[in-house]
Every structure is written in C-alpha cells, then in structure tokens.
C-alpha cells in the first residue's frame, strides 16, 4: 500500500512517519503500520502491545521509558492534537540528551517512531486528545519509570507552561537525568 513516507530525524533512529490516508465525504481511513513497508524503510518493528490514552487540554505526560527491556514505540493521535517529544537517553550515544518534538494530530496523520533507548512524553494541545501507542517489546512494569519533563539538564522547551500544566503525581515524582545516569552506570 503506497502513501507511507519516512523522514529520519535527529536524534538518530527516530522517524516522523506519514501514514496512508484515504478520505471522502463519509470520513476517512488511516493505516499507521504495515510490517513490510516499515522493514523496507529500515525499521524492524514487531507489535507486542497496543494501548490508547485520553488527555484533556494542557495535560503533560512523561518522559517515560523502561530501564530493562526498553520498548520501541510508534505513537499517533486518533483524536485531537499533541506536541510529542522524545529524548535520547542512551549515555553512549553521540546525541545523548538531545530531544526533538513534533505536532501530531488526527488531521495530519503523522506518527512518531520512538526507538529503544529514548524517553517519550507529550503535551496535549486540545481537549479529548486520544493517543495510540503501538509497542515493540514486552512491557516491564517493574522498571517502568521516567525522567522529569522539566529537567534543566535536558532543557525541553514545552509549548505549555509547566507551571499551569496538568501533571500526575507520578510524573512530578520522576527522577532527574543525573539520578538516571547514576542508575544506569552502576
């Protein structure tokens, strides 16, 4: 099926993926993943789990990852709009601490491919935003954790003021980048 486009991003390994979309007066159809097409683009991705989250406007989530058995993710928006961000947290990487962000929406049909070794988060720009997560790798509840979105060592420039953003207690209690480095260098 034609229609997919893959744009490599910095940090290396991340991609912005334009999905196949067909629409008419009845509505539309979006395909976010097809194994063979992704493999032709150089992305090996085996779907292990799929889930969705719903967020109100000004919700900020993340930056999430698993310490053991990190997952690769293909994230997209089914309804609404987000400012989606990923951070390279591989200490040995030449792009360590580098982040990039993309606006994903139900209208633009873009997906963010998040490779293993990256933290992921987003800021919801509209009410009732629904994110779809397709994950490669087994979920590891024991090491599911994250780094604070507002960590000054990373310096994410969020379009929503973090002073007024809606954030979970869990996300407010996430570790700093320096705490993360102490854990992974043990």
């Amino acid at each position: 099926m034609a229609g997919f486009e893959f744009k490599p991003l910095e940090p290396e390994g991340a991609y912005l993926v334009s999905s196949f979309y067909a629409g008419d007066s009845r509505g539309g159809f979006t395909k976010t993943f097809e194994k063979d097409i992704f493999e032709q683009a150089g992305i090996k991705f085996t779907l292990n789990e799929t889930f969705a989250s719903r967020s109100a406007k000004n919700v900020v989530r993340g930056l999430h990852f698993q310490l053991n058995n990190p997952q690769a993710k293909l994230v997209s928006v089914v309804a609404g709009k987000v400012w989606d961000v990923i951070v390279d947290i591989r200490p040995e990487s030449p792009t360590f601490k580098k982040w990039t962000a993309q606006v994903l929406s139900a209208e633009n049909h873009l997906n963010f491919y998040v490779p293993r070794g990256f933290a992921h988060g987003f800021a919801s720009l509209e009410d009732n935003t629904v994110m779809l997560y397709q994950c490669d790798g087994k979920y590891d509840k024991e090491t599911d954790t994250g780094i604070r979105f507002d960590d000054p060592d990373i310096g994410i420039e969020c379009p929503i003021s973090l002073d007024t953003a809606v954030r979970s207690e869990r996300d407010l209690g996430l570790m700093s980048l320096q705490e993360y480095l102490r854990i992974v260098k043990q």
Side-chain angles (χ1 to χ4, degrees), residues 45-158:
F45 189 84
T46 302
L47 186 61
N48 284 77
E49 67 177 351
T50 300
F51 59 93
S53 69
R54 180 180 305 272
S55 299
K57 185 176 182 179
N58 296 326
V59 165
V60 174
R61 297 183 190 263
L63 303 161
H64 300 140
F65 57 91
Q66 294 176 182
L67 286 169
N68 296 334
N69 306 313
Q71 294 177 304
K73 297 175 184 168
L74 183 64
V75 295
S76 56
V77 173
V78 177
K81 183 182 349 183
V82 300
W83 183 80
D84 204 70
V85 63
I86 62 172
V87 180
D88 186 347
I89 58 168
R90 303 169 295 179
E92 72 289 347
S93 170
T95 56
F96 175 64
K97 296 193 310 184
K98 300 281 189 228
W99 61 273
T100 188
Q102 302 291 324
V103 172
L104 308 179
S105 72
E107 285 75 35
N108 70 15
H109 311 288
L110 295 174
N111 308 296
F112 218 160
Y113 174 72
V114 184
R116 286 176 173 76
F118 283 65
H120 173 258
F122 69 87
S124 180
L125 302 176
E126 295 181 1
D127 278 328
N128 295 312
T129 292
V130 178
M131 293 275 301
L132 178 68
Y133 302 79
Q134 297 174 86
C135 300
D136 177 344
K138 185 174 171 69
Y139 177 66
D140 183 4
K141 183 178 180 176
E142 298 302 314
T143 66
D144 181 22
T145 187
I147 295 170
R148 286 183 56 99
F149 209 96
D150 57 356
D151 188 294
D153 287 334
I154 298 172
I156 293 173
E157 298 168 12
C158 186

Side-chain angles (χ1 to χ4, degrees), residues 14-49:
Y15 287 86
L16 185 63
V17 182
S18 297
S19 296
F20 169 83
Y21 176 76
D24 60 25
S25 62
R26 300 168 297 160
F29 172 84
T30 302
K31 181 186 271 195
T32 60
F33 175 74
E34 186 174 323
K35 182 178 183 274
D36 293 341
I37 291 173
F38 272 65
E39 284 182 2
Q40 289 169 10
I43 302 171
K44 287 196 148 273
F45 189 84
T46 302
L47 186 61
N48 284 77
E49 67 177 351

